[in-house]
Amino acid sequence: MGEFLTELWDFMRERKKFWLLPIFMVMLGVGALIVLMQGSTVAPFIYTLF
């Protein structure tokens, strides 16, 4: 996983695609939220977003 993040950062730095960083951070946050809240009462509200 660390190697992937290093390559991703190198790609964004070399190609000047820093606008991708917030997109990946939001995707990571939503993914972590779904995994951590699995089976909770918050789940129906998360699923309505998609």
Side-chain angles (χ1 to χ4, degrees):
M1 185 67 172
E3 183 180 337
F4 171 73
L5 293 175
T6 304
E7 287 185 28
L8 180 64
W9 176 250
D10 289 341
F11 169 78
M12 288 190 300
R13 190 178 60 196
E14 186 172 321
R15 305 219 190 266
K16 307 286 192 253
K17 303 237 185 239
F18 292 111
W19 55 270
L20 288 172
L21 188 60
I23 295 172
F24 283 119
M25 295 300 287
V26 168
M27 287 174 54
L28 182 67
V30 170
L33 183 65
I34 289 173
V35 168
L36 292 175
M37 297 295 167
Q38 187 177 18
S40 72
T41 57
V42 182
F45 300 109
I46 295 173
Y47 295 133
T48 60
L49 295 174
F50 301 105

